[in-house]
Amino acid sequence: MVLTKQYLRYVSSAVFGVIGSQKANISYVTLRQGERGRYVAVAACEHVFIWDVRKAEKVLILLGQKHEVTFLCPSPDGIHIAVGYEDGAVRIFSLLNGESNVSFNGHKSAVTVICYDMLGARLVTGSKDTDVIVWDVINECGLYRLRGHKDVITQTLFLKDKNLLVTSSKDSFVKWWDLDTQHCFKTMVGHRSEVWGMVLLNEENRLLTGSADSELRAWDISYLQEEKAEGEPKVKKGKTLLDDGNDCDENEDEVNEGPEERILTCKKAGSILREAQDRVVSLTVDRKAQVIACHGNDFILELFTVLSEEEVQKKMGKKLKKARKKAAKADNGVGDEPTEPVVEKKLKDQIINLSKIKASAKIRWAAILSSAGGELKVALLLQNNTIETYNLNISDKIPTANKAARLTLGGHRTDVRTLAFSSDNLAVLSASGDTVKVWNRSTLQVIRTMACEYALCSLFVPGDRQIILGSKSGKLQIFELASGSLLETVDAHEGALWSLCLAPDQRGIMTGGADKTVKFWEFELVKDQRTGQKRLTLKHTRTLQLEENVLCVKFSPDHRLLAVSLLDCTVKVFYADTLKFFLSLYGHKLPVLCLDISHDNTIIATGSADRNVKIWGLDFGDCHRSMFAHDDSVMFLQFVPKTHLFFTAGKDKKIKQWDADKFEHIQTLEGHHREVWCLTISPNGDHLVSASHDKSLRLWERTREPIILEEEREMEREAEFEESMAKGDVPVVPGETEGEAAPAGKKSIETVKAAERIMEALELYKEERTKMEEHKFACERAGKKLEPPKPNPILVAFGNVSPSRYVLDVIKKVRSSELEVSLLVLPFPYIPELLTLLNSFIQEGLEVELVCRCLFLLLKIHFGQISSNQMLLSVIDELRTNTLSKVQEIRDVMGFNSAALQFLQREIESKEDIMFFTDATSRLEEKRKRRRKRERVILTTA
């Protein structure tokens, strides 16, 4: 056996540095019946972070898998939160323990909106794939898919009292759906561009929509079903309703007429003007629908309040008084009889501007929560990785917002462009456009935060007490970690300072900049004028002048050579002592952005904007191999210490590990959701930290698990297959034409595997049944009882269950949301056997609800083939009688239980009333006794 080179796997250990991702909204949540308005939920790449805004602490992490979070929606009871992902999946997490037990998979692309109904029993999701899906949360399955929109769904709202749904989309339409019949009965076309948000007001009698302009349009909804509750409407009545519809259509506020008018009519009530001129980014209301929050792509959040009917009447009364006075004055001049003025009720009298909140950066999402005593809490997720919360009292005459909290410490405001590890592997430095932070690697807590210029490169000074940053303005900044102070700023280069490298003898550094020079510096200790203490400084010793801008510089570990990458796509190698030219490495088509030299000075690896990595020998400058590394520019490259393995980071969101001896790709670290700018490897090679445009820093750890390259490639192929499977067509029920409503499920690798497991179980059942029949026949021929055949090892492993029971167990293990599509994939030859088994399950009273669900679905899918098959008639007839009787039995039991519970409830209530009454009388007696005592004391003192 040939001993192969062993590679060890790196795995993701933690995500840090991100406070809130921009892609998903922010939402108030309650934890363990705690204080309302204290905790907010935000997306953090693929995870969800719950922050305590008062303490600025992360209290709970809801762990995701691979795809980015795109939407959050807490349940009405506050115990669960529904999370939508980039791949179209929806998972429901418990806020008590942070675990996810329910997941739905029906969309082909990112979930853009999620909404619960009033009870929290149903969930509606909208997606970029233009579909709307309604899910049953209790039964954990999809109810139906609603098609009709032509662009991304932006908002979905359930109506409380009626089984209706309203959806808006970027296709400029607002659609009303009747969920009883699962069809769209009205389409509103009053918008000229995308509808970005909408809310229901005035007890769902008004719809407010936000579009791509500065108007918020209001629509009055009148429900017409109540008028006709007693019987079918007459023809004449229908005509008058259609006439009403025509009136609406004249205003270009309607599109369809006819049957939809039997449910509701919509009429434009006017519009409110926002201050911002750009599109509505988010539009939200508090739970009582009294306060509306709205913002565009700027710093301002506008708050509007919806006045109650009494307040509107009061306002109209004042207006009428004014109008009468005005009319009286005018009539006095003329001398005629005073005419009664008419005051029209306008939208601006009902919805008034409450306040404005100016945030410290551009607002991405907003959430509002009204508390007792008229207090309003506002949480803002800003575009610079910050959360801000404000409090204001809406009962004040002029409400002013007070900033309550600002979460900034746990991350950078702008992208991290440089990372460095300390020599003891314990501290990590990250620097962005305005701050430099030092993190503790084990706890991932910030140790120091210091203001700096736009940093491009960094390193720890030997001893790990100071750090040096190279900035975009060409300056070198030296910071002391103990005090967190800036020691000195050195003007090093005239252009951007792109690269820093510590000399192997640790006595100085080398810098390369956009002014076509490489400069050499030595560390020096000088006496500080102010403190009298010695401090570190840099002394410029030599300069190497070049023909092009310098992008990257690196010393060889033996201090013999130095490599410089230039803007002309070449890498020049010089002798470190004399600065004489040694080699020119040319071959890249675009500039080399990163390079590194191996620990034994034999290999130099270069990564370029042309997406290739080239490995060169340092003896003669020969190119050993050129490898296509990433799908976009290679941004960073570094060797693992004391090995010939190196990591590359690319703009394609991936980090890859390579072997420079065998020229093989070892593994891909996937996790970042945007371009990866830089990475750093710890001196012992056990840890790796990477920084990305998604504002996150990721820590990766080396495990003891070896990587087998063939298996790694196989896993990559499987992942590709699963992705292609998810993008496939939605399964179609035979005989059904594609309409507005469709099945909610989606064919995925899980549903295919579930169908295969059911088929295998049915095959096993057939085999076992054949075995038992043969055994019975053999016993009859022998005229005595023979030894029974050995059961299948699988049945033994499951505790000697019967074959039929094993089939039921397999069906039970299929996830509820995937059951329909799994049965849809099942070929017809397995159906007769399955129907017979379902009949036996119902007779025995096993899992009647699940069995009925499977039965009705199979009858719907294979109706034609089942009804034309004479062999199945008897089975179907038996199923009919058995199913009806069993379902009736269950219904009776449930009715009995329900009546018993109601009886118990009444008993408890009556007991509590008696207890309360006796308690009250005893309290009264005690009060009387105390009063008598007091009176006696007064009398005696008198």
Side-chain angles (χ1 to χ4, degrees):
M1 183 182 167
V2 181
L3 187 71
T4 56
K5 190 170 182 178
Q6 197 179 59
Y7 306 110
L8 296 176
R9 187 181 298 283
Y10 281 81
V11 295
S12 179
S13 169
V15 179
F16 62 106
V18 62
I19 293 168
S21 293
Q22 311 304 302
K23 207 147 195 182
N25 59 318
I26 185 170
S27 179
Y28 275 108
V29 291
T30 48
L31 287 185
R32 300 177 191 88
Q33 305 304 313
E35 190 182 330
R36 287 177 77 232
R38 181 169 175 174
Y39 303 102
V40 293
V42 286
C45 299
E46 68 270 29
H47 306 309
V48 176
F49 288 171
I50 313 287
W51 291 94
D52 180 340
V53 288
R54 192 180 292 167
K55 292 182 181 175
E57 280 178 6
K58 210 181 294 170
V59 287
L60 186 64
I61 299 174
L62 309 178
L63 295 171
Q65 283 155 348
K66 188 169 118 183
H67 297 278
E68 208 172 357
V69 174
T70 54
F71 204 86
L72 306 171
C73 179
S75 63
D77 60 8
I79 296 169
H80 297 95
I81 185 166
V83 181
Y85 293 90
E86 185 78 56
D87 64 337
V90 177
R91 292 170 74 197
I92 297 174
F93 288 88
S94 165
L95 287 171
L96 302 173
N97 54 19
E99 288 178 5
S100 163
N101 298 321
V102 183
S103 64
F104 301 124
N105 219 325
H107 292 292
K108 283 185 185 176
S109 53
V111 175
T112 52
V113 64
I114 301 175
C115 181
Y116 273 98
D117 70 350
M118 206 176 94
L119 295 170
R122 286 179 303 172
L123 191 72
V124 63
T125 58
S127 165
K128 279 187 179 175
D129 63 8
T130 74
D131 289 350
V132 174
I133 302 180
V134 181
W135 307 91
D136 183 341
V137 177
I138 295 163
N139 204 19
E140 298 179 18
C141 66
L143 295 173
Y144 35 81
R145 181 189 299 266
L146 303 171
R147 295 196 182 110
H149 283 292
K150 299 281 184 285
D151 210 332
V152 177
I153 310 296
T154 54
Q155 185 59 284
T156 57
L157 299 167
F158 276 110
L159 270 72
K160 283 178 190 167
D161 305 323
K162 297 169 181 60
N163 199 18
L164 303 178
L165 179 74
V166 56
T167 59
S168 67
S169 166
K170 277 171 73 175
D171 61 6
S172 82
F173 297 138
V174 173
K175 285 182 179 283
W176 291 82
W177 305 83
D178 183 347
L179 298 182
D180 292 324
T181 56
Q182 294 149 35
H183 82 287
C184 172
F185 65 87
K186 180 182 277 298
T187 302
M188 290 161 56
V189 295
H191 303 89
R192 298 281 175 270
S193 54
E194 303 97 329
V195 181
W196 287 103
M198 61 177 179
V199 289
L200 285 163
L201 309 170
N202 297 9
E203 292 174 352
E204 300 184 341
N205 288 317
R206 176 165 285 159
L207 184 75
L208 193 71
T209 57
S211 188
D213 50 21
S214 58
E215 276 185 56
L216 294 178
R217 292 170 178 79
W219 313 77
D220 281 339
I221 306 158
S222 48
Y223 303 98
L224 303 176
Q225 240 166 1
E226 289 86 343
E227 296 171 20
K228 311 178 191 176
E230 290 175 23
E232 279 296 305
K234 293 174 186 175
V235 179
K236 281 182 184 177
K237 185 127 185 182
K239 277 183 185 173
T240 57
L241 291 173
L242 290 176
D243 292 343
D244 289 348
N246 285 338
D247 292 344
C248 273
D249 213 26
E250 283 169 23
N251 299 332
E252 295 182 0
D253 299 337
E254 292 293 320
V255 63
N256 294 342
E257 308 179 349
E260 81 273 8
E261 302 298 349
R262 294 177 202 150
I263 299 172
L264 55 83
T265 55
C266 282
K267 191 177 179 184
K268 191 167 180 185
S271 57
I272 309 162
L273 282 173
R274 295 160 50 229
E275 268 197 10
Q277 298 299 312
D278 58 345
R279 78 170 179 90
V280 170
V281 172
S282 78
L283 179 68
T284 182
V285 285
D286 64 336
R287 198 165 274 188
K288 294 173 189 168
Q290 286 179 338
V291 180
I292 306 160
C294 174
H295 68 89
N297 270 318
D298 54 5
F299 298 73
I300 307 286
L301 177 81
E302 292 180 65
L303 295 170
F304 300 91
T305 185
V306 182
L307 298 180
S308 63
E309 199 57 45
E310 297 86 47
E311 288 171 318
V312 172
Q313 291 301 332
K314 215 186 254 182
K315 203 171 183 186
M316 296 316 292
K318 283 180 185 174
K319 268 196 169 183
L320 194 61
K321 256 186 194 174
K322 275 186 187 174
R324 278 177 185 156
K325 278 183 185 175
K326 208 174 182 182
K329 273 184 187 175
D331 290 337
N332 285 343
V334 181
D336 295 339
E337 277 186 31
T339 54
E340 183 64 31
V342 179
V343 178
E344 199 181 333
K345 194 197 283 185
K346 291 182 179 173
L347 188 69
K348 64 180 179 185
D349 300 321
Q350 299 162 30
I351 301 171
I352 59 166
N353 209 317
L354 179 68
S355 181
K356 287 185 199 69
I357 296 175
K358 187 171 184 183
S360 61
K362 287 184 178 177
I363 304 168
R364 189 64 194 86
W365 296 96
I368 57 174
L369 182 79
S370 54
S371 311
E375 192 190 10
L376 186 77
K377 295 185 176 185
V378 181
L380 304 178
L381 177 63
L382 308 181
Q383 286 188 357
N384 66 350
N385 194 28
T386 307
I387 295 170
E388 286 185 350
T389 59
Y390 294 84
N391 294 340
L392 73 157
N393 203 319
I394 52 176
S395 55
D396 292 351
K397 207 165 191 182
I398 304 168
T400 52
N402 303 311
K403 191 181 284 188
R406 186 164 185 252
L407 305 185
T408 56
L409 194 65
H412 289 273
R413 307 285 70 75
T414 53
D415 290 3
V416 171
R417 299 310 293 242
T418 174
L419 291 163
F421 250 110
S422 63
S423 58
D424 58 4
N425 309 291
L426 293 177
V428 181
L429 177 155
S430 64
S432 66
D434 54 357
T435 53
V436 53
K437 288 178 184 279
V438 179
W439 308 77
N440 181 322
R441 180 191 52 74
S442 51
T443 62
L444 302 178
Q445 296 298 312
V446 180
I447 304 165
R448 285 277 178 275
T449 300
M450 297 159 281
C452 66
E453 290 192 18
Y454 197 119
L456 295 175
C457 48
S458 63
L459 56 81
F460 275 92
V461 174
D464 299 333
R465 290 182 183 182
Q466 294 91 7
I467 56 170
I468 298 176
L469 298 183
S471 73
K472 203 172 184 178
S473 57
K475 293 183 175 68
L476 280 170
Q477 291 187 305
I478 307 168
F479 291 89
E480 186 167 44
L481 292 182
S483 59
S485 59
L486 176 66
L487 293 179
E488 191 181 0
T489 301
V490 180
D491 290 321
H493 292 266
E494 285 167 19
L497 200 158
W498 287 112
S499 185
L500 269 178
C501 181
L502 185 68
D505 61 4
Q506 302 198 337
R507 289 181 182 177
I509 60 167
M510 167 172 64
T511 61
D515 58 355
K516 304 181 184 178
T517 60
V518 174
K519 292 188 178 180
F520 299 85
W521 311 77
E522 276 183 4
F523 294 130
E524 246 187 12
L525 287 170
V526 294
K527 205 170 189 181
D528 198 323
Q529 300 291 331
R530 288 172 298 158
T531 60
Q533 302 258 330
K534 283 194 172 181
R535 66 167 177 82
L536 185 82
T537 185
L538 288 167
K539 181 187 166 191
H540 180 219
T541 55
R542 296 185 292 170
T543 302
L544 173 63
Q545 186 66 45
L546 295 154
E547 307 85 54
E548 287 287 345
N549 289 9
V550 177
L551 296 178
C552 189
V553 293
K554 191 67 82 175
F555 274 114
S556 65
D558 62 359
H559 210 171
R560 191 174 70 93
L561 304 169
L562 62 98
V564 183
S565 85
L566 302 174
L567 203 59
D568 63 1
C569 312
T570 63
V571 175
K572 300 272 194 288
V573 183
F574 298 89
Y575 289 105
D577 49 0
T578 59
L579 299 185
K580 281 187 177 175
F581 175 74
F582 173 48
L583 294 168
S584 179
L585 313 176
Y586 54 90
H588 283 290
K589 295 180 180 69
L590 288 169
V592 173
L593 302 177
C594 49
L595 59 90
D596 200 8
I597 299 170
S598 65
H599 70 287
D600 55 4
N601 314 293
T602 57
I603 295 170
I604 179 169
T606 57
S608 163
D610 64 10
R611 304 179 289 180
N612 290 310
V613 166
K614 291 184 190 285
I615 296 164
W616 318 75
L618 260 184
D619 298 335
F620 309 105
D622 54 323
C623 181
H624 291 178
R625 184 66 63 97
S626 179
M627 299 181 288
F628 182 74
H630 290 268
D631 297 329
D632 209 329
S633 304
V634 182
M635 297 304 295
F636 207 87
L637 183 151
Q638 191 178 345
F639 274 99
V640 178
K642 299 182 177 60
T643 67
H644 277 192
L645 309 177
F646 64 92
F647 280 95
T648 58
K651 272 190 176 177
D652 61 354
K653 313 173 194 175
K654 294 187 177 90
I655 297 165
K656 294 185 180 181
Q657 190 185 17
W658 308 83
D659 185 341
D661 292 331
K662 294 190 173 179
F663 316 118
E664 279 183 316
H665 170 218
I666 300 165
Q667 67 169 330
T668 304
L669 305 181
E670 288 188 34
H672 284 293
H673 302 285
R674 299 283 178 281
E675 301 93 327
V676 184
W677 297 129
C678 54
L679 59 87
T680 180
I681 302 167
S682 63
N684 60 8
D686 284 343
H687 297 92
L688 182 144
V689 176
S690 54
S692 161
H693 183 45
D694 62 15
K695 299 278 194 302
S696 72
L697 300 171
R698 283 176 187 266
L699 177 67
W700 311 81
E701 281 183 1
R702 183 161 61 186
T703 61
R704 306 259 57 85
E705 181 197 342
I707 290 179
I708 296 147
L709 295 180
E710 289 77 18
E711 281 182 16
E712 201 69 13
R713 300 296 91 82
E714 183 64 36
M715 278 159 68
E716 281 173 20
R717 282 193 291 273
E718 270 180 29
E720 271 178 38
F721 172 68
E722 282 179 32
E723 229 166 81
S724 64
M725 179 80 76
K727 287 174 186 169
D729 294 329
V730 176
V732 180
V733 176
E736 283 196 6
T737 53
E738 197 172 296
E740 283 180 336
K746 178 180 86 169
K747 187 180 175 184
S748 65
I749 198 77
E750 281 82 17
T751 57
V752 173
K753 282 177 182 174
E756 282 173 359
R757 283 197 295 273
I758 295 170
M759 285 191 270
E760 282 167 11
L762 288 167
E763 290 284 357
L764 189 145
Y765 169 73
K766 276 184 194 173
E767 280 174 25
E768 290 297 305
R769 200 183 60 183
T770 314
K771 258 195 227 173
M772 292 312 292
E773 282 171 2
E774 284 172 3
H775 172 67
K776 194 179 173 184
F777 183 63
C779 288
E780 282 172 8
R781 278 178 64 185
K784 60 177 181 178
K785 262 198 172 183
L786 299 171
E787 196 183 325
K790 281 186 180 177
N792 192 298
I794 294 172
L795 298 177
V796 178
F798 276 85
N800 278 326
V801 291
S802 65
S804 60
R805 197 61 199 260
Y806 173 67
V807 175
L808 182 62
D809 287 344
V810 168
I811 294 170
K812 268 166 69 180
K813 280 175 188 168
V814 177
R815 199 180 282 167
S816 183
S817 57
E818 292 167 359
L819 184 64
E820 292 187 3
V821 184
S822 302
L823 292 173
L824 201 53
V825 174
L826 215 61
F828 184 73
Y830 291 95
I831 303 304
E833 203 73 56
L834 190 53
L835 287 174
T836 316
L837 277 170
L838 294 180
N839 187 24
S840 68
F841 297 150
I842 283 180
Q843 279 174 336
E844 291 170 40
L846 298 169
E847 303 288 339
V848 176
E849 196 182 334
L850 174 69
V851 169
C852 285
R853 198 174 149 208
C854 295
L855 173 63
F856 300 147
L857 191 75
L858 290 171
L859 289 174
K860 185 183 173 185
I861 298 165
H862 302 288
F863 177 75
Q865 284 167 296
I866 290 170
S867 56
S868 62
N869 192 330
Q870 293 291 321
M871 306 283 286
L872 290 174
L873 280 177
S874 57
V875 179
I876 295 296
D877 197 40
E878 272 182 54
L879 273 166
R880 183 170 58 85
T881 52
N882 293 339
T883 308
L884 285 170
S885 63
K886 278 292 170 190
V887 170
Q888 190 60 49
E889 268 178 42
I890 288 172
R891 195 181 283 169
D892 292 344
V893 170
M894 285 176 76
F896 179 85
N897 290 346
S898 173
L901 287 167
Q902 282 168 5
F903 171 73
L904 287 169
Q905 186 185 357
R906 286 195 297 274
E907 284 285 300
I908 291 161
E909 279 172 0
S910 61
K911 274 182 189 173
E912 277 182 355
D913 286 350
I914 295 159
M915 289 288 284
F916 178 74
F917 183 69
T918 53
D919 198 31
T921 51
S922 64
R923 276 184 196 165
L924 192 66
E925 283 295 320
E926 275 177 24
K927 275 185 184 176
R928 279 178 185 165
K929 277 178 187 174
R930 280 179 201 154
R931 199 183 300 147
R932 280 179 204 145
K933 269 186 186 176
R934 242 181 272 134
E935 283 168 4
R936 276 179 206 151
V937 169
I938 293 162
L939 285 167
T940 50
T941 51

